[in-house]
Amino acid sequence: MLKLTWRNITRHPLRAALTILGMAVAVLAFTLLRTVVAAWYAGVNAASPARLVCRNAISLVFPLPIAYLPKVQAIPGIEAVAYGRWFGGNYIDERHFFPKFAVDVRRYFAIYPEYVMPEDQKLAFMKDRRGAAVGRTLATRYGWKLGDSVVIKGNIYPGEWPFIIRAIYTGAEPTTDESRFFFHWDYLNESLKKSATSRADNVGWFLIKVARPELAPLVAAQVDALFKNSLAETLTETEQAFALGFVSMTEAILLAIQVVSWVVIGVILIVLANTMAMNARERRGEYAVLKTMGFKGRHLAGLIFGESLILALAGGLVGEVLTFPAVHFFKVSMGQYFRVFPLTRATLILGLAVALAVGLLAALLPAWRASRVSIAEALRKVG
Amino acid sequence: MTGNPALAPAPVVEIAHLNKSYRRGSQVLPVLQDINLTIQAGEFLALMGPSGSGKTTLLNLIAGLDRPDSGHLTVHGINLPALTESQLADWRAANVGFIFQFYQLIPVLTAYENVELPLLLTRLSRRERQEHVDLVLELVSLSDRQHHYPGQLSGGQQQRVAIARALVTDPTLIAADEPTGDLDKKSAGEIMDLLTQLNREFQKTIIIVTHDPEAAAHAGRIRRLIKGQLLNESEPQED
Ligand SMILES: Nc1ncnc2c1ncn2[C@@H]1O[C@H](COP(=O)(O)OP(=O)(O)OP(=O)(O)O)[C@@H](O)[C@H]1O
Ligand SMILES: [Mg+2]
C-alpha cells in the first residue's frame, strides 16, 4: 500500500513538484514571518523578571540625578543597582545604526550575566576609560578587532568621541542582543562636566536587581514612593514591561504580520486540498476497483491521507531547510533593524506542525468522499 | 454440462423474486424485475441481452457490489443483503474475483504488483504472497511480463493480468462483465479459453456478461435478460 501511495504521488511529477514547492514557500514565509515577530519580541523575552528599570516618570528622554543612587541602594530587597544612559550618536552616518550605551561598567555587567566576555577582555575594558565593549555581531559587521579605535559623532552630546575596542561580548542566549556598544558612563560624565555642566551627573535609568522576582512589585512601589513629589519622580517597572513599552507601538504591525502568516497557510491549504481533490476524482474508478477486491473505506482514506501527508511534510521540510539561508540573509542585510533574529526550535516545530495539519485537513474531504464511493456507480462511469 | 460432473450439484447462487430499481430524481426506474435464478457450483454461466437490460446490475448484485431492493439472494448460503458494508467487503475479498471490460489495472503498479493487491488484505507473508502471484501469473502465461506496467502490455495481456488478479485469492466465484468486449477476436478467444480452463480444471463457478455469441458459446449455460426480466431457458434466442 505504501508503494501505491508513493507511485500515486509520482504519477504526476509536475503536479507533485509544484505542490511541494508551494508548500515549501508557504512554510518558508510562515517561519520567516514568525521569526520577524519573534525578533521584535526578543527584547521582551530576554528580559529577566528579577530586574527592574527605574526611569523618569515623565518620559524616558528626561534623566534622573545620579544622586538617587545611594537612596535606591538603601531599599531592602535590592541586590544591586546599576545605571546607564542612552548616548545616541552616529558611526560613519545615520544608516549605520546600533544602540550605544554609557553604563557603569562594573555593576552593569554584573547584573547582565547574559553578556559574556573573556575575563582578560573584561579587565582591559574596565581599566580603560575610553574602552568600549561591543557585541559580536557588531564587531563582525564592521570588522572591529580588539585595540581598534572607533570614533562616534555625537548628536545628543556633540563632538567627536573616540573609543578603543577592549572587549567583544557574546550572548548567553539566542535572544541576547549582540549588536550593542557599551562604554564608561564616567567618560561621558567627565566630558559633560567640562562642556555642559547642567547635563552632567545624570543617568537615563537605574537598573535594579531584586533579590527574588516576587519582590519586584514591592520594590518598584517603594522606589517610586521614595521620590514622590521630588523634582524628578520615578517610574519603576519590570524590564519586561519596559521592553513591551517599546514594542507596543508596533503591536498592530506585529498582529498584521501574524495574521498574514496564517493567511499564507490558509492559501496553501486550499491549494493542497484542490490537488488532493483532483487526484482523488481522477482515481474514483481505481478506488471502486479496489473496493471490489474487498478494500474498505479506511484503506482508501489511508492512501489519500498518506499521499497528502507526504506532500505536505516534504514541502514543509524543504521550506524549513530554505528558512536557514533566508534567515541568514535577513540577518546580514537587515541586522541593524533587529536586535536579534532568532530562528528558534519552537518556530521550526510549529512550521512542521502546521504542514502536518495542512496535510491532514487537505485529505479530509477527498478521503471521506473516496470511502463513500458507490462501487456500482463509479464502475458505470469507467466501464 | 456443469463443470465437473463428479461434483454433486450444490447451489452456489440462489436468487428468488429479486427486484432492483434506480432512482433518478423523483423517477423510479425498475432495472431488474422478479429475477429467479439458481447457479450450481462449478457452473459456467453466460448472461446475455441487449444493452441496458440489466446484465451488469444483476452481476453486481451476485458479486456483492450492490444491494437489491427486495427478494432473496444468497451466495454459498450467505444472505448478502443482510451483511453490513464492511462484512460485504470481507466477503468479496474472500469469495469473489471480478473481471472488467476495461481491465481496470492500476496504471502505476506493475503486473506483479497489480496481482498482489488483493493479497495485501490477507495475513499472508511477503514470501507466501510471492508464491501465489507467481503461480497465477504462470497460469495466465505472463511470468515473463510481471515487471511490465499495464501501459506496456496489450489489451489481451492486460486482461490476463486482470484474470490473474481475480484468481490470486482463490475465490470460488468469478464474475466477469464483458471480459472480451474490448478485445480483438484472437485475444478474446484466448481469454475465453482461459476462463474455460479455470472452470474445468479448478471448478471455479464463473458468471460472465457478454454480447458476443462466440464468447457465450464457451459457457455451459446461457441466460438472457430483456428489459430487466430473465427469459425462460427454453425460449428462443434473439439477441
Ligand atoms: N446508478 C444508476 N443510476 C441510474 N440508472 C442506472 C444506474 N445503473 C444502471 N442504471 C440503469 O439501469 C439499466 C440497466 O443497466 P445495466 O448497466 O445493468 O445494463 P447492461 O445490461 O449491463 O447494459 P450494457 O450492455 O450496456 O452494459 C439501464 O437503463 C441503466 O441506465
Ligand atoms: Mg453492462
Side-chain angles (χ1 to χ4, degrees):
Chain A
M1 284 311 255
L2 215 66
K3 204 185 295 176
L4 185 53
T5 307
W6 177 247
R7 300 269 176 85
N8 273 337
I9 290 170
T10 49
R11 196 183 284 215
H12 300 286
L14 184 65
R15 185 188 294 176
L18 286 177
T19 307
I20 291 177
L21 191 69
M23 192 73 208
V25 171
V27 169
L28 171 66
F30 181 79
T31 49
L32 213 53
L33 291 173
R34 299 250 126 200
T35 304
V36 169
V37 173
W40 275 105
Y41 279 112
V44 181
N45 294 333
S48 156
R51 287 195 295 245
L52 294 171
V53 179
C54 170
R55 49 130 169 145
N56 192 301
I58 303 167
S59 158
L60 198 60
V61 299
F62 293 99
L64 293 171
I66 186 75
Y68 282 10
L69 180 63
K71 296 181 191 165
V72 173
Q73 275 171 328
I75 293 173
I78 291 184
E79 204 173 86
V81 181
Y83 49 87
R85 195 163 187 176
W86 178 260
F87 182 72
N90 293 316
Y91 176 64
I92 309 176
D93 61 39
E94 279 111 22
R95 272 171 301 167
H96 295 264
F97 171 80
F98 49 87
K100 306 163 197 74
F101 298 103
V103 299
D104 64 328
V105 171
R106 199 172 303 273
R107 281 177 291 199
Y108 194 88
F109 286 96
I111 293 182
Y112 276 109
E114 53 266 58
Y115 298 119
V116 182
M117 52 187 115
E119 213 47 44
D120 54 329
Q121 294 184 18
K122 196 184 231 171
L123 275 175
F125 174 40
M126 285 177 181
K127 270 194 223 140
D128 185 353
R129 214 171 56 89
R130 293 187 172 189
V134 298
R136 175 172 53 179
T137 315
L138 212 51
T140 316
R141 192 187 304 159
Y142 297 114
W144 291 337
K145 287 178 293 297
L146 295 176
D148 282 3
S149 69
V150 170
V151 176
I152 307 285
K153 271 199 261 345
N155 43 19
I156 307 176
Y157 309 104
E160 301 235 316
W161 299 79
F163 298 99
I164 294 162
I165 308 290
R166 287 300 180 199
I168 294 172
Y169 74 84
T170 53
E173 318 266 340
T175 51
T176 309
D177 187 2
E178 289 185 345
S179 64
R180 292 185 171 185
F181 185 99
F182 293 104
F183 64 94
H184 292 266
W185 179 86
D186 293 339
Y187 176 38
L188 172 66
N189 204 45
E190 280 158 28
S191 305
L192 289 179
K193 271 181 178 163
K194 285 178 218 152
S195 59
T197 333
S198 64
R199 301 173 75 180
D201 291 332
N202 281 331
V203 302
W205 60 87
F206 289 103
L207 258 173
I208 300 167
K209 175 137 198 291
V210 291
R212 295 192 308 277
E214 314 88 83
L215 292 176
L218 190 70
V219 168
Q222 277 179 296
V223 173
D224 291 346
L226 190 61
F227 301 110
K228 192 119 190 105
N229 300 322
S230 67
L231 214 53
E233 294 193 354
T234 60
L235 175 65
T236 307
E237 54 195 354
T238 61
E239 199 179 29
Q240 231 149 7
F242 181 71
L244 265 179
F246 275 125
V247 172
S248 67
M249 57 182 165
T250 48
E251 198 77 43
I253 299 171
L254 294 185
L255 187 68
I257 293 177
Q258 274 171 325
V259 168
V260 167
S261 75
W262 286 109
V263 167
V264 168
I265 294 304
V267 169
I268 196 62
L269 171 60
I270 292 168
V271 169
L272 183 61
N274 181 52
T275 304
M276 290 312 300
M278 207 150 67
N279 286 346
R281 202 171 316 124
E282 279 171 13
R283 295 172 204 154
R284 251 174 74 95
E286 287 169 33
Y287 294 146
V289 170
L290 285 171
K291 276 191 163 184
T292 66
M293 296 176 206
F295 286 91
K296 297 179 187 176
R298 62 184 155 89
H299 295 115
L300 305 182
L303 278 178
I304 295 171
F305 272 110
E307 182 173 354
S308 183
L309 282 177
I310 289 174
L311 285 175
L313 285 179
L317 282 175
V318 172
E320 302 231 314
V321 167
L322 292 178
T323 304
F324 288 93
V327 162
H328 181 74
F329 174 77
F330 256 67
K331 236 183 213 162
V332 170
S333 64
M334 305 170 73
Q336 63 255 52
Y337 301 111
F338 295 105
R339 299 167 64 253
V340 289
F341 211 73
L343 178 58
T344 61
R345 198 175 304 156
T347 306
L348 290 175
I349 290 172
L350 184 66
L352 271 192
V354 162
L356 194 81
V358 165
L360 284 174
L361 283 176
L364 216 53
L365 193 64
W368 182 72
R369 283 221 193 106
S371 69
R372 289 186 26 131
V373 147
S374 142
I375 305 175
E377 289 212 18
L379 285 179
R380 261 170 67 79
K381 301 212 172 80
V382 293
Chain B
M1 191 180 79
T2 55
N4 191 337
L7 205 77
V12 173
V13 179
E14 291 175 285
I15 294 173
H17 309 299
L18 197 72
N19 292 292
K20 173 77 182 173
S21 54
Y22 283 110
R23 218 167 300 269
R24 202 172 280 150
S26 58
Q27 215 178 334
V28 177
L29 184 82
V31 177
L32 293 176
Q33 292 167 42
D34 196 33
I35 302 292
N36 296 286
L37 176 66
T38 303
I39 303 170
Q40 306 293 336
E43 235 188 306
F44 189 164
L45 174 79
L47 279 173
M48 297 190 74
S51 185
S53 56
K55 306 181 295 293
T56 296
T57 306
L58 180 56
L59 189 70
N60 285 349
L61 289 176
I62 295 171
L65 301 181
D66 207 350
R67 291 166 183 280
D69 296 341
S70 64
H72 176 82
L73 165 61
T74 60
V75 180
H76 291 302
I78 291 170
N79 183 12
L80 293 189
L83 299 183
T84 65
E85 267 322 303
S86 168
Q87 289 170 327
L88 209 51
D90 292 335
W91 178 82
R92 283 197 301 270
N95 295 287
V96 192
F98 216 95
I99 300 164
F100 308 88
Q101 177 175 358
F102 296 107
Y103 334 126
Q104 301 299 346
L105 301 174
I106 308 287
V108 288
L109 298 180
T110 62
Y112 180 96
E113 290 159 351
N114 264 288
V115 174
E116 190 188 19
L117 264 181
L119 293 181
L120 298 181
L121 289 170
T122 65
R123 282 171 206 271
L124 296 182
S125 69
R126 172 184 279 272
R127 172 97 228 118
E128 291 167 314
R129 291 203 301 267
Q130 191 185 343
E131 281 169 19
H132 282 67
V133 175
D134 286 346
L135 196 73
V136 288
L137 280 175
E138 178 85 7
L139 196 70
V140 300
S141 326
L142 278 177
S143 301
D144 54 333
R145 298 300 174 99
Q146 56 177 308
H147 298 305
H148 287 55
Y149 287 89
Q152 302 167 321
L153 298 171
S154 73
Q157 288 169 332
Q158 287 189 58
Q159 194 62 300
R160 268 146 61 196
V161 174
I163 291 175
R165 180 178 67 182
L167 218 54
V168 75
T169 54
D170 198 23
T172 47
L173 186 66
I174 289 183
D177 195 350
E178 303 190 35
T180 59
D182 196 48
L183 297 177
D184 61 70
K185 223 175 161 61
K186 181 167 166 290
S187 305
E190 284 169 10
I191 294 299
M192 289 316 297
D193 288 341
L194 189 56
L195 289 176
T196 308
Q197 184 193 356
L198 295 178
N199 175 247
R200 295 247 170 91
E201 287 178 26
F202 302 97
Q203 286 81 48
K204 300 289 179 201
T205 306
I206 299 181
I207 310 170
I208 72 164
V209 165
T210 185
H211 284 292
D212 176 11
E214 227 166 287
H218 284 77
R221 183 179 165 206
I222 299 176
R223 294 299 305 264
R224 281 166 201 287
L225 261 175
I226 289 182
K227 289 184 183 157
Q229 289 178 308
L230 267 184
L231 298 189
N232 286 334
E233 263 164 291
S234 52
E235 279 180 45
Q237 311 180 356
E238 18 108 5
D239 203 12

